[in-house]
Amino acid sequence: MATRTDLDGRPIKPITICMIGAGGFIGSHLCEKLMSETPHKVLALDVYNDKIKHLLEPDTLPWAGRIQFHRLNIKHDSRLEGLIKMADLTINLAAICTPADYNTRPLDTIYSNFIDALPVVKYCSENNKRLIHFSTCEVYGKTIGSFLPKDSPLRQDPAYYVLKEDTSPCIFGSIEKQRWSYACAKQLIERLVYAEGAENGLEFTIVRPFNWIGPRMDFIPGIDGPSEGVPRVLACFSNNLLRREPLKLVDGGQSQRTFVYIKDAIEAVLLMIENPDRANGHIFNVGNPNNEVTVRQLAEMMTEVYAKVSGEPSLESPTIDVSSKEFYGEGYDDSDKRIPDMTIINKQLGWNPKTSLWDLLESTLTYQHRTYAEAIKKSIAKPTAS
Ligand SMILES: NC(=O)c1ccc[n+]([C@@H]2O[C@H](COP(=O)([O-])OP(=O)(O)OC[C@H]3O[C@@H](n4cnc5c(N)ncnc54)[C@H](O)[C@@H]3O)[C@@H](O)[C@H]2O)c1
Ligand SMILES: O=C(O)[C@H]1O[C@H](OP(=O)(O)OP(=O)(O)OC[C@H]2O[C@@H](n3ccc(=O)[nH]c3=O)[C@H](O)[C@@H]2O)[C@H](O)[C@@H](O)[C@@H]1O
């Protein structure tokens, strides 16, 4: 492999990365990238490894010996500190991060996103190890504009909705809106990481992903996840399309999101890994401001793309409105709009996303159809156990 250089022209030396949560959606794509394009080593920690099994076996793979899987739960495992000490850099991805859990399992959500991350930050700080911690764009909560009168022209003013790492406030709903247990736990762990940096010199980078989507995100209920499970919107809508059911639009699907292709986002993470001088001490938005849609528009686009990918005509009525209470239960609330400001990541890392929403949906739904269509047909054909 030719000597790879960083953004300042310096040769990149191989490092060992302790990746916590490596078996998840983002972790699996990050491991793929690191194994196929870099000389780095990965200690992959997770309770599951089904999404990275293709990287671990067989031992004739070109990168064999550069990735080791350690099955462990960071809540209570004495091996954690030793693994962090063996590495040069720790990347923490571990979290409960599906909104259906935030208002229904608020304690687990708070423990997972704040309490369980405390030892990771402590071990990195005490052992002078660099940390890349995954937070979320959800820490911004709601836009300032969402509190203006519905017809206020200021709602069109970017100052009232663009989300910027070093200036935007974090605005959540009231305490009984337990949806915000996740974002608030993420905010506090961000403040703890930042304080470890300020007081004890911890070298940290915080990542705020803005709806990264692609293959291997979450699960399809009843196929590779619990039938009553509620994954994030991509998997929910994919499941509805695969089962030829109408896509459910929560509260009419008026919330807006910007979606970025997982492969574009992973490029940004690799730049953070290999340019510590440019990444340390920073919080980074990683998203695609050009891919903004309402949830309703996302449903319509996914319906159109799926008809093309599957060759099956879409339903007469492809969507149905549902209340958030019915879909998520008590205590749900939502972010109205998520547009990432790109100034800091452009300046520090020169990164910009490339893939349009249509293209990323085409490749993702091709994967979903190829992976799940047969299994779904069988599960529908088989009479449910009486
Ligand atoms: N995917 C996105 O668009 C997105 C957006 C915002 C934030 N994030 C954040 O990025 C991180 C990764 O998200 P993801 O989409 O890959 O989610 P994911 O659920 O696919 O991955 C999380 C992984 O962490 C593991 N994990 C959780 N608790 C653990 C524990 N106690 N011990 C060991 N492993 C544990 C899970 O088994 C899972 O494999 C999370 O911190 C999430 O909050 C993701
Ligand atoms: O992925 C992210 O960037 C972050 O945001 C997500 O939060 P959210 O975008 O609200 O999660 P989804 O479950 O994907 O919901 C997106 C929107 O679709 C709606 N939705 C979801 C599912 C569905 O079937 N129908 C539907 O209308 C939700 O109400 C919400 O408005 C999750 O909190 C985390 O993955 C992460 O913090």
Side-chain angles (χ1 to χ4, degrees):
M1 188 178 290
T3 311
R4 299 169 65 251
T5 54
D6 66 17
L7 292 170
D8 298 304
R10 293 173 297 209
I12 293 168
K13 65 180 184 28
I15 62 170
T16 299
I17 298 167
C18 175
M19 194 186 305
I20 304 168
F25 164 58
I26 293 179
S28 65
H29 285 275
L30 188 51
C31 286
E32 272 180 3
K33 185 83 174 173
L34 288 165
M35 288 305 114
S36 57
E37 294 185 25
T38 83
H40 305 309
K41 279 191 181 148
V42 173
L43 306 174
L45 280 53
D46 205 309
V47 288
Y48 307 114
N49 68 3
D50 46 312
K51 294 184 182 179
I52 52 172
K53 204 156 262 171
H54 63 291
L55 298 171
L56 303 171
E57 296 159 353
D59 54 15
T60 52
L61 286 165
W63 50 75
R66 283 200 291 118
I67 181 165
Q68 271 175 19
F69 177 64
H70 296 265
R71 192 180 300 279
L72 64 80
N73 185 325
I74 62 168
K75 284 180 184 296
H76 40 67
D77 197 300
S78 57
R79 291 173 286 167
L80 178 60
E81 183 171 15
L83 289 161
I84 289 176
K85 286 166 78 170
M86 275 168 67
D88 304 292
L89 160 70
T90 287
I91 300 180
N92 190 12
L93 295 153
I96 289 174
C97 52
T98 40
D101 290 322
Y102 308 162
N103 59 310
T104 55
R105 296 169 58 198
L107 287 175
D108 290 341
T109 298
I110 293 165
Y111 271 77
S112 170
N113 284 282
F114 179 64
I115 310 281
D116 299 346
L118 291 175
V120 176
V121 182
K122 185 165 73 108
Y123 294 146
C124 289
S125 192
E126 286 174 351
N127 294 288
N128 290 320
K129 298 294 180 179
R130 196 180 157 219
L131 170 65
I132 296 181
H133 185 79
F134 271 70
S135 179
T136 169
C137 62
E138 208 158 305
V139 294
Y140 295 109
K142 300 162 175 271
T143 63
I144 301 168
S146 70
F147 295 90
L148 292 170
K150 281 269 176 291
D151 57 355
S152 163
L154 282 176
R155 280 177 174 254
Q156 316 311 325
D157 179 345
Y160 286 78
Y161 65 79
V162 173
L163 304 171
K164 194 166 185 313
E165 302 92 330
D166 55 352
T167 55
S168 296
C170 305
I171 306 174
F172 304 138
S174 56
I175 298 300
E176 65 262 24
K177 293 287 184 194
Q178 294 194 80
R179 187 260 162 74
W180 302 110
S181 56
Y182 165 78
C184 200
K186 285 286 198 185
Q187 180 192 147
L188 189 55
I189 198 70
E190 280 201 26
R191 294 187 182 279
L192 183 116
V193 167
Y194 196 87
E196 280 287 354
E199 279 189 44
N200 298 330
L202 171 69
E203 290 183 331
F204 73 88
T205 298
I206 290 169
V207 184
R208 289 182 181 166
F210 279 67
N211 292 84
W212 300 5
I213 55 176
R216 296 200 295 269
M217 183 171 209
D218 295 343
F219 56 90
I220 296 296
I223 303 298
D224 53 358
S227 308
E228 69 295 335
V230 180
R232 289 169 285 190
V233 70
L234 175 89
C236 280
F237 285 177
S238 295
N239 184 45
N240 298 141
L241 289 165
L242 283 156
R243 295 177 186 276
R244 301 192 61 70
E245 296 162 349
L247 281 58
K248 298 185 180 69
L249 301 180
V250 170
D251 295 342
Q254 290 318 306
S255 295
Q256 292 180 299
R257 292 290 188 275
T258 53
F259 292 96
V260 63
Y261 192 33
I262 181 68
K263 293 191 185 300
D264 292 349
I266 293 299
E267 291 284 347
V269 181
L270 186 57
L271 285 165
M272 295 173 201
I273 292 170
E274 298 191 321
N275 292 275
D277 296 349
R278 290 167 172 259
N280 282 341
H282 288 282
I283 298 172
F284 290 112
N285 287 339
V286 182
N288 188 339
N290 308 315
N291 278 350
E292 184 179 55
V293 285
T294 63
V295 176
R296 178 180 292 277
Q297 289 165 337
L298 174 72
E300 287 160 358
M301 191 181 280
M302 284 181 72
T303 300
E304 206 181 328
V305 170
Y306 189 75
K308 182 182 171 196
V309 158
S310 65
E312 294 163 8
S314 49
L315 299 180
E316 275 302 295
S317 350
T319 64
I320 181 170
D321 288 6
V322 297
S323 72
S324 54
K325 190 156 179 290
E326 188 188 338
F327 192 80
Y328 288 111
E330 288 297 334
Y332 183 75
D333 195 0
D334 209 352
S335 294
D336 57 300
K337 192 176 177 70
R338 294 177 176 173
I339 301 266
D341 180 280
M342 304 292 281
T343 310
I344 295 176
I345 194 161
N346 282 173
K347 176 170 175 285
Q348 294 303 112
L349 302 171
W351 176 84
N352 274 296
K354 301 188 288 279
T355 313
S356 71
L357 184 54
W358 179 276
D359 290 349
L360 76 89
L361 288 176
E362 204 162 30
S363 48
T364 304
L365 288 174
T366 300
Y367 168 86
Q368 303 281 63
H369 184 254
R370 191 179 61 237
T371 308
Y372 295 106
E374 275 317 297
I376 293 247
K377 278 203 182 64
K378 284 203 195 84
S379 78
I380 291 173
K382 192 169 66 296
T384 41
S386 47

